[in-house]
Amino acid sequence: MSASRMEERVSQRTISFTLNGQPMRLEINPHETLLHVLRERAAAAEVKSGCERGDCGACAVLVDGRGVNSCLTLAVQVDGKAVTTVRGLGTPDAPHPLQAAFLEQGAAQCGFCIPGMLVTLQAFLSERPAPTRAEIREAIAGNLCRCTGYHKILDAAETAARQMRAVQA
Amino acid sequence: MLPHVDYVRAEGVAHALALLDRHGAGARLLAGGTDLLVDLRERRSAPALLVDISELDELAAIRAEDGALHIGAGVTVAALREDATVQAEFPALAEAARWFADYLTRNKATLGGNLANASPGADFLVPLLALDAAVTIAAAAGDRTVPLDQFLLGPRQTALGRGELLREVVLPRSAPAGQAYEKLGLKHGGAIAVVSCAVVMDVRAGRGARVRIVLGAAAPRPFRARAAEERLEGQPLSAERAEQAAALAAGAAQPISDVRGSAEYRRAMVQALVRRGIDAAQAAAVRS
């Protein structure tokens, strides 16, 4: 066995976390990113791999409710934490208000950026339930969409924010 | 994929220092990871061990003590942006946090990471130099506090020695009320500065006082444009004098040409940004 193989075996470890509420237990190497582990080992291909350097937001997930880029998070760092992907926001039968608004308003074109967009907006709206349109634009400045020009995304986010406030009230 | 690296989640600052001491140059501190993990991926850094300090509460607090605000190195940019004391007393710093990267990055990136990386365009070095900040460095032998200006040795070089860790930023709470931070990016959100500046000043009987003008991304490291400061310090303020100070700042810049702009463009933008900053800081000082 080569030295590098030996090293990998030595540093391999087990992490436990919840993925969309389901308990997970995985053997991982510490250099594996959360993005890689979610897609390749946890069947969470809804988390998209874009730039892999924190510029595009396609890989955004919630870690204990906070929106982060999973490409710049190590899997080992979510040991003991709750990870939520877009799949954890809602289901086809019971969509999250953001998902419903995106569907109704045709806010997705190719769809690649949408999982990260929805997760980011969920995190942002939980902190700031009544944002201005300018604040929403600022919140998704790190989520690149190369199709839509963002207008329908902003429309849908505003609609969803209103509906989420109405549910809260 | 990242290259192979080992990982330990530090249990406290003392534990992190012990790990740094034991592993020497092979260990790197992992805070937000928004720069470090990109450097690993692009093979600019190849540590054997990452010491994760992102979970340490003792580095993530903002507290007032002895006439100073102590901001933990592990405070995220998102937390810094929302802090009421920072907003009220250090608006130049709050403004830098406001325009730092993007929402997802701000949730992870830390103040200490930005300072310790010491990029020529590091957003927080600029307002903090203008606010006469100091930093506390933790080491096994004990803490030491040094002025930020002395912490910063050059591009990507700091006074942090082997086995040391940046613990906190210390800001005197007697800062002038006139503060402005101006950043020019190639786009509105998520941009790295083409150039930036901070202007901090009081206005007493129509004259400038305690004037600080700091330029970012205009030289190998952020620096005070002292000739520009002197044009305003103790002098009656006017549009003409502000323009002269801005021109002196542009003259002091040593910008480079790169993908974000030519040296000539940067120099012209330094002048425009400093002029704008002086006007904004002066207006804020007069309002207070």
Side-chain angles (χ1 to χ4, degrees):
Chain A
M1 184 180 290
S2 72
S4 67
R5 287 279 311 218
M6 182 100 76
E7 227 177 285
E8 284 195 17
R9 269 192 35 179
V10 169
S11 61
Q12 204 169 61
R13 63 200 71 193
T14 306
I15 58 168
S16 301
F17 62 102
T18 63
L19 177 59
N20 299 325
Q22 298 299 309
M24 305 287 292
R25 205 175 148 79
L26 292 173
E27 292 281 316
I28 56 122
N29 286 302
H31 67 282
E32 291 183 282
T33 63
L34 178 60
L35 169 64
H36 178 80
V37 165
L38 288 175
R39 284 182 59 85
E40 306 297 332
R41 316 272 289 283
E46 70 272 23
V47 182
K48 299 304 176 194
S49 178
C51 68
E52 294 191 51
R53 44 173 295 142
D55 287 335
C56 79
C59 69
V61 298
L62 305 181
V63 175
D64 285 350
R66 284 178 79 75
V68 298
N69 284 312
S70 61
C71 70
L72 295 185
T73 303
L74 296 174
V76 66
Q77 292 183 290
V78 303
D79 189 24
K81 298 186 193 299
V83 178
T84 307
T85 72
V86 70
R87 211 181 276 262
L89 295 189
T91 65
D93 292 335
H96 184 282
L98 277 163
Q99 291 168 318
F102 269 62
L103 269 175
E104 280 159 19
Q105 305 201 14
Q109 285 187 25
C110 90
F112 189 85
C113 70
I114 300 300
M117 201 68 84
L118 289 167
V119 162
T120 302
L121 284 166
Q122 160 61 18
F124 172 68
L125 292 177
S126 69
E127 293 165 16
R128 200 174 284 272
T132 64
R133 193 173 173 98
E135 287 171 334
I136 299 172
R137 287 174 68 101
E138 214 180 280
I140 58 169
N143 295 82
L144 303 188
C145 170
R146 302 292 83 164
C147 303
T148 67
Y150 299 95
H151 285 279
K152 289 184 173 181
I153 289 173
L154 292 165
D155 291 344
E158 283 186 317
T159 302
R162 270 196 302 276
Q163 281 173 354
M164 288 161 73
R165 288 200 299 277
V167 171
Q168 287 285 312
Chain B
M1 281 290 280
L2 300 179
H4 177 83
V5 63
D6 210 343
Y7 168 96
V8 177
R9 195 185 283 188
E11 285 152 20
V13 168
H15 183 213
L17 291 174
L19 288 165
L20 289 179
D21 194 48
R22 193 176 324 142
H23 294 271
R28 288 289 303 269
L29 294 168
L30 173 64
T34 56
D35 283 325
L36 179 59
L37 295 184
V38 176
D39 284 351
L40 256 62
R41 178 179 304 286
E42 296 179 359
R43 310 299 197 263
R44 285 193 294 264
S45 178
L49 175 69
L50 296 178
V51 178
D52 187 353
I53 53 169
S54 66
E55 304 271 327
L56 298 183
D57 290 340
E58 61 185 303
L59 292 179
I62 300 179
R63 64 190 167 81
E65 196 180 291
D66 299 333
L69 194 68
H70 299 250
I71 307 175
V75 168
T76 63
V77 181
L80 189 64
R81 206 172 185 250
E82 300 297 325
D83 187 79
T85 308
V86 171
Q87 288 173 356
E89 297 180 29
F90 306 104
L93 179 59
E95 192 68 6
R98 177 159 184 234
W99 295 109
F100 185 95
D102 58 65
Y103 174 77
L104 295 167
T105 303
R106 288 193 297 267
N107 275 343
K108 295 199 67 156
T110 65
L111 177 62
N114 191 249
L115 300 186
N117 277 340
S119 154
D123 285 296
F124 292 118
L125 287 169
V126 176
L128 288 175
L129 282 169
L131 292 165
D132 290 341
V135 295
T136 301
I137 296 169
D143 284 11
R144 63 194 167 103
T145 300
V146 297
L148 181 60
D149 192 51
Q150 288 172 26
F151 173 78
L152 189 60
L153 300 182
R156 303 199 170 276
Q157 288 180 311
T158 70
L160 278 174
R162 187 173 151 169
E164 292 187 326
L165 172 160
L166 183 60
R167 187 192 290 280
E168 64 182 13
V169 172
V170 184
L171 278 172
R173 295 186 77 183
S174 50
Q179 297 184 22
Y181 172 77
E182 304 284 340
K183 172 177 170 177
L184 176 70
L186 293 182
K187 55 193 167 94
H188 218 49
I192 292 171
V194 178
V195 287
S196 63
C197 82
V199 179
V200 171
M201 65 195 289
D202 275 330
V203 177
R204 290 182 193 141
R207 293 167 187 265
R210 297 203 286 162
V211 181
R212 297 282 185 277
I213 297 175
V214 176
L215 308 182
R221 50 154 284 186
F223 71 102
R224 280 175 62 183
R226 288 175 194 267
E229 293 175 357
E230 283 161 16
R231 189 54 58 110
L232 304 180
E233 185 74 44
Q235 303 296 323
L237 298 171
S238 66
E240 192 190 356
R241 200 167 277 280
E243 197 54 50
Q244 289 167 357
L248 286 167
Q254 301 170 285
I256 57 163
S257 294
D258 69 6
V259 65
R260 281 182 281 279
S262 67
E264 189 187 4
Y265 175 68
R266 279 198 162 92
R267 198 182 292 281
M269 291 306 102
V270 165
Q271 184 159 346
L273 255 58
V274 169
R275 177 62 208 274
R276 204 181 291 168
I278 292 170
D279 289 351
Q282 191 181 333
V286 169
R287 267 200 312 275
S288 74

